[in-house]
Amino acid sequence: MRRTHFNVLIVGGGAAGCVLANRLSEDERTGVGLVEAGPDYGMFDVERWPAELLDARSAARGHDWNPGPSCCARARVIGGSSAHNGCWAMLGAPADYDAWAAYSGGSWDHAALRPYLRRAMSRLRVRPVAPADRTAWHEAVIEAARALGLPYLEDVNAEHEREGVGWVPLNAVGGTRWHTAFAYLDPARDRPNLQVVARSLAVRLEFAGDRATGLVVAGEDGERLLTADTVILCCGTYGNPPLLMRSGVGPEAVLRRLGAPVLHPREGVGENLVDHSSLGLVLDPLESLHAAIPDAAESYFAQTVIKACSSVARDAFWDIHIVPSAAPAEDAQGYYNGPLTAGFYVNVMAPDARGSVRAGSLDPEEAPVIEHGFFTDAGGHDRQVVLDGIDLAHELARSASLAGLAGLTPWPAERREKASVLADANGYWHPVGTCAMGPEDDPLAVADERGRVHGLENVHVGDASLMPVIPRANTHLTTVAVADRLGDLLAPSVSGARGRSEVR
Ligand SMILES: Cc1cc2nc3c(=O)[nH]c(=O)nc-3n(C[C@H](O)[C@H](O)[C@H](O)COP(=O)(O)OP(=O)(O)OC[C@H]3O[C@@H](n4cnc5c(N)ncnc54)[C@H](O)[C@@H]3O)c2cc1C
């Protein structure tokens, strides 16, 4: 029988949602609902799952929420963006996680997260790029970086390593993207106390005072109400603020403009958006590169990473990721079917700039208004970092091992100007922070160290939007670790054994 009341309702079945669904349904007395706007293709099965979501070699775009700029991509499917991402399994520097202590009364730091990060790597079956898959392009990148004095990193995630070049670890089993729906949801699917409510768009939360009583969802049969003792928001960095705003929680002026009820004003909702900003250095693939990679679509597009320190690095650890790429161009539909391209993508890993996410309207299908604010920091720190990275990318391209594979295209000096950097800016697909953890008196903070939204009794945030500081890494592993730890922190208080209400 399909339930309509749950002890815990997890809203958003993405990377974090799948982890929390697993962890909180371990207690068979806890009725858990997992609401997902997109489809659920069920247990891992090569026949049932769309090939593009299984193919780990490139990020897939066929399940995107809204057509639009690549930097706003996010997937609408069980597994969320973990089901279409690049499978890079990277960790931040210990200092990144230690910086969370200031936002959590000391309870989140590297020591607290470390076991969860390690567990995420094991559950997601992280493995190195197999020697047989390594392309001549990426072998040449390693040689070029070493020639410039960057150390070769046997393990790009080793905690003591500060800079260097190495092969990227991937959460892939063979060529299959091993995302959180397979790693976390599948092992829990048979539990009678867990129900996946797919193709159901969360419209708004219903409140009685400070307590959420339920969630209105829109599905194929129209709108219906799901009730819950506790709600955990896992709609992602772009999805949580619009849902809260439609529900009457957010900056008062924004709620009024939207025409939403002003139930729980909270200025930080949707603020503090941060992603790793980036610029590209496009190269001209030479005949030798075409010959070396006759079918680029058959290989992992991004196999190596260069971690480097800029001239304004704030500690001894990298603040730049350079992603070397030799891959087919993206076509208009977002599929990688075009001719071979080559280049370096330079990413600012500890950016100062901040942006925001707002609901576009009260219509839950309308795309959110996303302002990344890339390179808008007043001090110009982020621009300096990216230009240092672009300089390094030029040096790499000129090196003996790469110059024979791809030619430099013009990069005129005007491109260093602020206006040009702003116009060319892109992201790295790692948005975090729009429902950030922090003390109640911090206007930018939205949730406490247990993810509970300030001012609300039973609404929590459980995903990437909770991160108060972006790690110097791709964000999937950290998101999974955050959700896993929240699972431990919240399990006792959400347990159905507490008898607040029966699962019906
Ligand atoms: C193209 C791309 C490539 C990436 N590559 C990498 C990589 O290689 N390595 C890495 O570490 N990280 C990568 N990332 C980032 C990583 O995937 C994210 O950090 C991670 O998925 C964030 O998890 P989340 O749970 O916060 O959000 P998501 O995984 O996005 O999950 C949110 C879920 O909520 C659902 N949802 C949203 N709104 C609603 C609503 N109103 N009602 C119901 N459901 C809703 C969505 O459909 C989705 O399933 C990439 C991201 C993208 C977009």
Side-chain angles (χ1 to χ4, degrees):
M1 198 181 76
R2 284 170 68 80
R3 293 179 187 132
T4 56
H5 179 84
F6 301 88
N7 296 109
V8 188
L9 200 51
I10 299 162
V11 192
C18 288
V19 175
L20 276 158
N22 176 314
R23 295 304 322 283
L24 296 177
S25 65
E26 280 170 7
D27 181 343
E28 60 190 18
R29 298 161 301 186
T30 307
V32 178
L34 178 63
V35 174
E36 167 55 41
D40 174 15
Y41 295 108
M43 293 282 278
F44 168 64
D45 180 331
V46 289
E47 301 296 326
R48 260 199 316 242
W49 274 79
E52 66 153 19
L53 296 180
L54 296 179
D55 188 346
R57 288 171 299 190
S58 68
R61 298 292 302 279
H63 285 70
D64 269 15
W65 266 83
N66 311 105
S70 159
C71 60
C72 298
R74 58 182 176 132
R76 181 172 179 158
V77 64
I78 202 79
S81 293
S82 129
H84 76 164
N85 74 16
C87 295
W88 276 33
M90 301 287 291
L91 299 176
D96 303 341
Y97 305 113
D98 283 339
W100 295 17
Y103 300 86
S104 62
S107 62
W108 290 76
D109 59 11
H110 184 242
L113 266 164
R114 194 172 185 276
Y116 295 94
L117 291 165
R118 295 285 153 196
R119 188 151 79 176
M121 294 182 80
S122 142
R123 287 293 290 253
L124 290 163
R125 301 178 65 175
V126 172
R127 63 160 177 85
V129 178
D133 291 335
R134 299 175 179 184
T135 66
W137 165 260
H138 288 283
E139 299 278 10
V141 164
I142 301 244
E143 210 181 310
R146 294 180 82 166
L148 290 178
L150 283 160
Y152 174 69
L153 306 175
E154 280 297 339
D155 173 5
V156 293
N157 280 327
E159 286 169 14
H160 58 276
E161 299 287 13
R162 300 171 168 197
E163 288 187 284
V165 61
W167 299 96
V168 166
L170 302 165
N171 54 290
V173 175
T176 301
R177 175 181 290 106
W178 206 249
H179 55 75
T180 55
F182 301 151
Y184 289 87
L185 190 58
D186 278 2
R189 280 183 186 272
D190 286 344
R191 295 176 187 161
N193 57 323
L194 172 63
Q195 187 174 302
V196 180
V197 188
R199 296 190 192 274
S200 297
L201 180 66
V203 178
R204 65 178 178 278
L205 295 164
E206 297 273 306
F207 287 100
D210 296 342
R211 202 173 161 72
T213 52
L215 176 78
V216 176
V217 294
E220 279 150 7
D221 307 328
E223 289 195 356
R224 65 187 175 123
L225 180 70
L226 304 175
T227 57
D229 300 324
T230 301
V231 176
I232 306 181
L233 302 179
C234 292
C235 293
T237 298
Y238 297 147
N240 284 337
L243 173 58
L244 282 168
M245 288 170 185
R246 290 195 296 273
S247 311
V249 184
E252 192 169 341
V254 175
L255 299 182
R256 290 196 191 286
R257 260 201 315 276
L258 276 175
V262 183
L263 299 182
H264 302 283
R266 189 80 213 167
E267 291 305 306
V269 172
E271 298 300 313
N272 197 43
L273 170 65
V274 56
D275 188 355
H276 302 123
S277 48
S278 72
L279 279 189
L281 173 63
V282 175
L283 302 175
D284 185 16
L286 302 178
E287 213 30 66
S288 50
L289 187 61
H290 287 278
I293 316 180
D295 190 353
E298 289 301 310
S299 58
Y300 290 92
F301 293 175
Q303 304 188 334
T304 49
V305 67
I306 293 153
K307 296 160 78 167
C309 288
S310 74
S311 60
V312 290
R314 292 182 171 127
D315 59 24
F317 289 76
W318 72 97
D319 61 353
I320 295 171
H321 263 193
I322 298 183
V323 178
S325 165
E330 209 176 330
D331 67 18
Q333 282 73 44
Y335 291 100
Y336 295 90
N337 290 323
L340 182 67
T341 62
F344 290 107
Y345 296 92
V346 176
N347 303 282
V348 178
M349 300 309 287
D352 279 353
R354 295 292 179 270
S356 65
V357 175
R358 307 258 156 86
S361 76
L362 293 181
D363 175 358
E365 285 292 1
E366 185 157 335
V369 179
I370 301 168
E371 303 277 353
H372 284 105
F374 293 138
F375 301 111
T376 55
D377 54 309
H381 163 269
D382 297 357
R383 186 160 62 101
Q384 185 59 54
V385 175
V386 84
L387 292 176
D388 288 349
I390 288 284
D391 289 343
L392 177 55
H394 274 94
E395 283 189 64
L396 289 163
R398 280 191 209 101
S399 72
S401 53
L402 285 170
L405 293 175
L408 268 170
T409 54
W411 215 85
E414 304 84 74
R415 290 195 64 183
R416 306 180 77 88
E417 300 300 325
K418 183 169 182 183
S420 179
V421 171
L422 286 174
D424 295 343
N426 213 326
Y428 195 11
W429 293 324
H430 302 141
V432 305
T434 54
C435 292
M437 185 192 306
E440 190 154 12
D441 58 2
D442 174 349
L444 278 186
V446 173
D448 69 13
E449 67 280 3
R450 289 161 53 80
R452 190 180 58 83
V453 176
H454 291 303
L456 300 180
E457 202 185 308
N458 62 340
V459 179
H460 291 254
V461 177
D463 60 14
S465 68
L466 183 64
M467 294 183 203
V469 175
I470 194 167
R472 272 169 269 193
N474 314 63
T475 42
H476 186 210
L477 281 183
T478 303
T479 305
V480 167
V482 165
D484 195 4
R485 182 157 192 253
L486 281 173
D488 277 339
L489 294 176
L490 298 183
S493 56
V494 303
S495 170
R498 289 168 61 92
R500 274 200 306 239
S501 68
E502 291 300 311
V503 176
R504 297 193 286 269

